[in-house]
């Protein structure tokens, strides 16, 4: 047994290390790499990715997986390692090499067309490339779908185990309850947010963000924070997790909430149990679960009254003279302001999921060939009016605002909303064990992190996403936790 | 032809990319990696090194090299690519895998013993591990030496093409001329260096170093500078070169000359001709040649009167009030102060090579088994007295001061002195085309860099080290350029 398992383990370790190296390359590209070094970086990334792919599709790896899987008395973790290794290898071997190359080329071409069309503000300049990409996505889904639907095949890259037949009713019920509530919030008098735009020095904001990061429990012995244009969580291993944030001098929440959001992702990565390191289950079960941790910290904790009761005095120390005239209730109303914004990434906690629902519905229709690429702008704008009450003034405010589709990322958007649903369900479960508000108000974040470590972070991808939800909350994923949270919080904030 | 060459080229490119990735891992470890990430980093480095080694020893690579080498009408560059690929592959395949593993383990054990013995100040705690390592180095040299000597085999890792029968007489003649001259300088009245220890703010020194780096011609579009404990030049490619420096608040030269030194290395890397990128000849022909560039900038340019005539006013701007009472002549005397220091890395331009000669002579005797490890401290101290007139007060000041031997680096030390000899020979050749002093005094560094780019940097490792010297200076390497430079400069500085 030992030798068979060791052979499988050595291959997992090698793949994990190659993943770690790619993590470093990606982090470095966004943070440290001199501008002229990008070309070399692309070569390095392609070489490591090629080697990793060769290792995955190597028939000997397939044999090592099957031999390990046939061993008696495997632990649950070991069974999951075999399951995840098999799943990703099956996926890699199902796609013909010529298809992978064609997809990579078309993705790059579509991305360029998207960038170009954003300059010309013309969907017509983007449409042909997106059509070609869509045809390849359909082909990809047909290669991969097995006995599921095409959309299932795409989802599986990001939310393993999730199926359209489960996801669609869930998101429809969310839509039916969220749209009218959002309408009420949007129609209510809006708070004054001018306090957030006073001009806050970059160094002060960054220092404050480091303080919050440290308080929340991010481990700087095993991680760091830097600046990048688009905040992200990367790094090379649970012992080396790297967040980035950004600073906008005229918008205080930009830096703070990017930091708090990435902190949720980063602490998840730091929290995987050491016995899972360098294996195929050292990671979240799904992107939605990963997002649940960032949303939990960003919204449930960070956009709460107790948070500002604790942090307003601290923020005043870091940004002297700027926040004296505001109280915690005004701060939380300002950072929770809701609006009819066309741009998802600038939207708020209430309307955010409407942006996602719109994209999810269009994605399903695209992959099922029920809507044509040519009709996307119109379909987009109609839904935007219906859900958010806003008419995009051009396609930059509409269908061309997101980079995801041009990158070939279909099936990815729903994980954002799943993240919100998971985070609220986790909050409800946590509230049975802890008084979250009291801890936050006292600046005691260790019990919260400890709870998440134990129930979520440490278990890695041993359970599948929804199984983890059942383990943690005692029931399958549902929308009630989230909608109750949202309705309670925003009814209070808006005096509804 | 094209396919045969392409197959070889693809393998060179892949190995170059793996080297670039290892460069990033190494740079990151010294600069950015959180302390707790070192363990993961060691796994990543070992995995990439193992893959690179597998690719090098792959018989198919050997066939690709030979097929490419047999092509008609290869250019000189292409012939050199084949030569270098073959040389490094032959070396990798000559060492049995069991030997490579034993060496790696013993290197690690010896390094630990060295660190431990530095704590206990006891050579006896270090001796057994160094003896084991020496036996392995003898075995390694016997595997590799072919028709050369053991020392030739070790030298070849760092100074390809150099042989002991060429190097030994050269260094002996250097010793015979340098020892008496150094004695005269050491016996002369020493300059006042207190101006350099006034306490200079870290930020001011660092900003000044960036200014100098930029002036000298380091390209920040394709490189960067950071801080690390031990300054080094790394990075991933000629388009992504990364220097580090350090700052000692109480010793102004520490930061400045580390920066200027690494700048010489860095501009060499940035200067390789693009047609050599990602090939086996994209690098210096030897470590000595690499060192020639750092020494040229550090000593020939940076420790000259014209340099301080130009930079003293600039330094006063960066460090206000500190340097008003000193003039350029006093500055250059201070930064060129010579002394009977036991520690090589703190020594000066005159005695530095005596430290190297001492180590070179002991290395040769060790590998030829003419001196026993047990007798090293005594042999070291005797030579230190003879060459520099200093008696080490313990082995930390003596044989245990350098990490190199414990790392298994034998044959490496002479490249430091070769670097000095090359740099002076290059200076003489450059002086026939340019008035170096006038350019430096005017702060015009572009003509100097342009000359080096053209004659040295761009050609990469197409010629071997000494052939490059012949191409650049019209004659083989000799000691006269260096000794004339040293005697003229230090006779003037010391009024001899």
């Amino acid at each position: 047994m030992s030798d068979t398992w060791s052979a499988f383990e050595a291959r997992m370790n090698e793949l994990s290390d190659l993943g770690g190296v790619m993590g470093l390359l990606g982090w470095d590209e966004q943070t440290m790499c001199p501008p002229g070094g990008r070309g070399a970086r692309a070569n390095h990334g392609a070489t490591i990715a090629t080697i990793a792919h060769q290792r995955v599709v190597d028939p000997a790896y397939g044999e090592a997986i099957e031999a390990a899987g046939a061993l008696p008395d495997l632990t649950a973790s070991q069974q999951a390692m075999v399951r995840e290794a098999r799943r990703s290898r099956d996926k890699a071997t199902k796609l013909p090499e010529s298809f992978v190359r064609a997809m990579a080329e078309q993705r790059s071409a579509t991305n360029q067309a998207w960038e170009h069309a954003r300059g010309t503000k013309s969907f017509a300049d983007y449409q042909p490339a997106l059509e070609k990409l869509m045809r390849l996505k359909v082909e990809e889904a047909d290669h991969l779908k097995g006995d599921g639907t095409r959309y299932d095949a795409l989802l599986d890259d990001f939310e393993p185990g999730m199926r359209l037949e489960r996801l669609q009713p869930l998101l429809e019920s969310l839509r039916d309850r969220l749209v009218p509530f959002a309408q009420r919030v949007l129609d209510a008098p809006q708070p004054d947010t001018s306090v957030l735009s006073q001009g806050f020095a970059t160094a002060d904001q960054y220092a404050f963000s480091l303080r919050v990061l440290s308080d929340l429990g991010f481990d700087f012995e095993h991680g760091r924070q830097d600046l990048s244009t688009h905040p992200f969580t990367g790094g090379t291993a649970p012992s080396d997790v790297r967040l980035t944030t950004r600073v906008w001098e005229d918008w205080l929440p930009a830096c703070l909430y990017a930091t708090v959001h990435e902190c949720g992702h980063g602490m998840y990565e730091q929290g995987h149990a050491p016995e899972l390191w360098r294996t195929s289950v050292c990671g979240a079960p799904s992107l939605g679960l990963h997002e649940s941790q960032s949303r939990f910290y960003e919204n449930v904790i960070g956009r709460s009254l107790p948070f500002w009761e604790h942090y307003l005095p601290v923020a005043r120390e870091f940004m002297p003279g700027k926040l004296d005239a505001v109280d915690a209730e005004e701060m939380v109303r300002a950072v929770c302001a809701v609006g009819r914004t066309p741009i998802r990434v600038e939207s708020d906690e209430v309307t955010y999921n409407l942006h996602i629902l719109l994209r999810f519905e269009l994605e399903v229709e695209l992959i099922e060939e029920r809507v044509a690429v040519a009709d996307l702008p119109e379909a987009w704008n109609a839904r935007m009016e219906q859900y958010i009450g806003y008419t995009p003034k051009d396609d930059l405010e509409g269908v061309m605002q997101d980079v995801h589709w041009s990158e070939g990322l279909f099936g990815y958007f729903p994980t954002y909303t799943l993240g919100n649903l998971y985070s609220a369900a986790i909050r409800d479960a946590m509230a049975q064990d802890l008084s979250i508000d009291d801890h936050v108000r006292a600046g005691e974040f260790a019990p919260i992190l400890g709870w998440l470590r134990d129930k979520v972070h440490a278990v890695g991808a041993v359970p599948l996403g929804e199984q983890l939800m059942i383990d943690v909350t005692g029931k399958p994923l549902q929308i009630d936790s989230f909608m109750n949270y949202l309705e309670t919080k925003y009814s209070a904030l808006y005096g509804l």
Side-chain angles (χ1 to χ4, degrees), chain A residues 302-369:
Chain A
R303 284 195 170 86
S304 72
L305 182 58
F307 181 87
W308 281 108
E309 286 172 339
H310 176 71
Y311 273 115
L312 191 56
V314 180
R316 286 185 185 129
E317 281 171 37
F318 280 87
M319 288 156 285
K322 298 279 185 181
L323 300 169
D324 296 346
V326 70
D327 66 21
E329 293 195 5
E330 289 163 331
M331 272 305 276
V332 76
R333 272 202 290 272
V335 302
C336 290
V338 175
R340 289 194 172 83
T341 164
I343 306 298
R344 173 183 58 91
V345 294
E346 296 166 6
S347 73
D348 51 80
E349 213 180 347
V350 174
T351 61
Y352 187 89
N353 295 294
L354 299 173
H355 288 268
I356 299 303
L357 292 169
L358 181 165
R359 286 155 181 76
F360 164 70
E361 290 166 3
L362 291 177
E363 282 188 353
V364 172
E365 292 172 15
L366 278 167
I367 200 76
E368 289 177 352
E369 300 179 280

Side-chain angles (χ1 to χ4, degrees), chain A residues 214-485:
Chain A
S214 172
D215 289 349
L216 294 180
F218 184 76
D219 173 5
F220 285 94
E221 183 76 9
H222 298 97
R224 49 182 293 136
Q225 178 178 262
D226 296 278
L227 291 168
S228 67
T229 310
H230 303 290
F232 67 92
T233 297
T236 74
S239 59
D240 176 15
V241 175
R242 303 182 184 199
L243 316 181
T244 68
T245 190
R246 64 181 166 208
V247 183
W248 296 350
E249 296 215 326
D250 266 345
W251 188 242
L252 187 64
C255 172
L256 174 65
Y257 287 112
T259 290
V260 175
H261 179 100
E262 301 306 333
C263 179
H265 283 305
M267 295 195 303
Y268 198 167
E269 288 296 314
Q270 288 181 333
H272 301 311
E275 57 269 29
L276 307 183
W277 293 7
R278 300 178 85 206
T279 76
S280 56
V281 296
C282 188
S286 74
L287 282 193
L289 247 307
H290 223 307
E291 194 72 4
S292 78
Q293 300 303 291
S294 56
R295 294 293 177 178
F296 179 83
Y297 276 97
E298 179 187 353
N299 291 332
V300 176
I301 303 285
R303 284 195 170 86
S304 72
L305 182 58
F307 181 87
W308 281 108
E309 286 172 339
H310 176 71
Y311 273 115
L312 191 56
V314 180
R316 286 185 185 129
E317 281 171 37
F318 280 87
M319 288 156 285
K322 298 279 185 181
L323 300 169
D324 296 346
V326 70
D327 66 21
E329 293 195 5
E330 289 163 331
M331 272 305 276
V332 76
R333 272 202 290 272
V335 302
C336 290
V338 175
R340 289 194 172 83
T341 164
I343 306 298
R344 173 183 58 91
V345 294
E346 296 166 6
S347 73
D348 51 80
E349 213 180 347
V350 174
T351 61
Y352 187 89
N353 295 294
L354 299 173
H355 288 268
I356 299 303
L357 292 169
L358 181 165
R359 286 155 181 76
F360 164 70
E361 290 166 3
L362 291 177
E363 282 188 353
V364 172
E365 292 172 15
L366 278 167
I367 200 76
E368 289 177 352
E369 300 179 280
R370 290 191 282 117
V371 66
V373 168
D375 299 330
L376 269 184
E378 199 183 325
W380 181 290
N381 293 353
R383 275 200 182 74
M384 185 61 80
E385 283 158 39
Q386 189 185 339
Y387 295 166
I388 299 183
Y390 182 88
T391 308
K393 65 177 197 293
D394 58 28
D395 292 327
L396 298 194
E397 281 195 355
V399 65
M400 296 201 307
Q401 71 178 259
D402 280 320
V403 71
H404 302 57
W405 287 347
S406 70
E407 300 267 12
L409 292 170
F410 291 82
Y412 179 100
F413 278 118
T415 66
Y416 289 126
T417 286
L418 287 169
N420 287 318
L421 300 183
Y422 287 136
S423 76
I426 287 169
R427 172 181 173 270
D428 280 354
M430 188 188 291
Q432 293 176 17
D433 299 332
L434 296 180
S435 173
I436 303 174
D437 282 358
D438 290 343
H439 283 303
V440 173
R441 195 176 294 113
E444 294 165 356
F445 298 104
I448 295 169
L449 177 58
W451 194 98
L452 292 170
R453 277 270 135 96
D454 186 34
K455 310 240 180 202
V456 181
H457 301 177
V459 303
V462 173
L464 288 174
E466 194 161 4
Q467 184 57 49
L468 179 58
M469 213 31 28
I470 294 168
D471 296 344
V472 172
T473 69
K475 53 189 171 185
L477 183 63
Q478 32 69 36
I479 68 158
D480 288 347
S481 289
F482 178 71
M483 281 308 306
N484 293 344
Y485 156 78

Side-chain angles (χ1 to χ4, degrees), chain A residues 14-158:
Chain A
E14 187 188 46
L15 284 169
S16 164
D17 288 341
L18 290 170
V21 167
M22 285 192 273
L24 183 65
L25 290 167
W27 171 84
D28 187 79
E29 184 175 8
Q30 302 294 320
T31 54
M32 300 292 165
C33 185
R38 297 278 169 90
R41 181 54 32 86
N43 290 330
H44 300 148
T47 289
I48 299 295
T50 300
I51 290 171
H53 181 75
Q54 289 167 349
R55 298 298 221 232
V56 168
V57 301
D58 182 355
Y61 182 42
E63 290 158 21
I65 295 171
E66 294 317 317
L71 289 170
D73 304 323
L74 291 180
T75 66
S77 294
Q78 289 177 321
Q79 288 173 26
M81 289 174 200
V82 169
R83 180 197 77 216
E84 286 304 306
R86 185 187 285 135
R87 197 176 66 79
S88 53
R89 185 172 186 278
D90 283 353
K91 199 164 277 197
T93 54
K94 267 184 189 163
L95 295 175
E97 210 167 298
S98 61
F99 174 82
V100 173
R101 203 163 37 244
M103 178 59 100
E105 284 166 12
Q106 189 55 47
R107 191 185 287 133
S108 168
T110 308
N111 209 4
Q112 280 173 38
W114 175 77
E115 283 200 16
H116 171 73
R118 282 184 60 87
T120 61
K121 299 190 183 182
S122 163
F123 184 78
D125 288 346
Y126 176 37
Q127 184 185 320
L130 185 58
E131 282 169 345
K132 283 186 195 153
L133 186 71
M134 251 348 280
R135 280 197 291 277
L136 287 174
K137 289 309 286 189
V138 167
E139 188 183 334
E140 178 183 329
D142 286 338
H143 277 300
L144 297 174
K145 71 181 157 76
D147 60 356
T149 68
R150 282 181 187 159
Y151 198 76
D152 292 341
L154 303 185
L155 256 183
D156 194 69
D157 276 344
F158 312 107

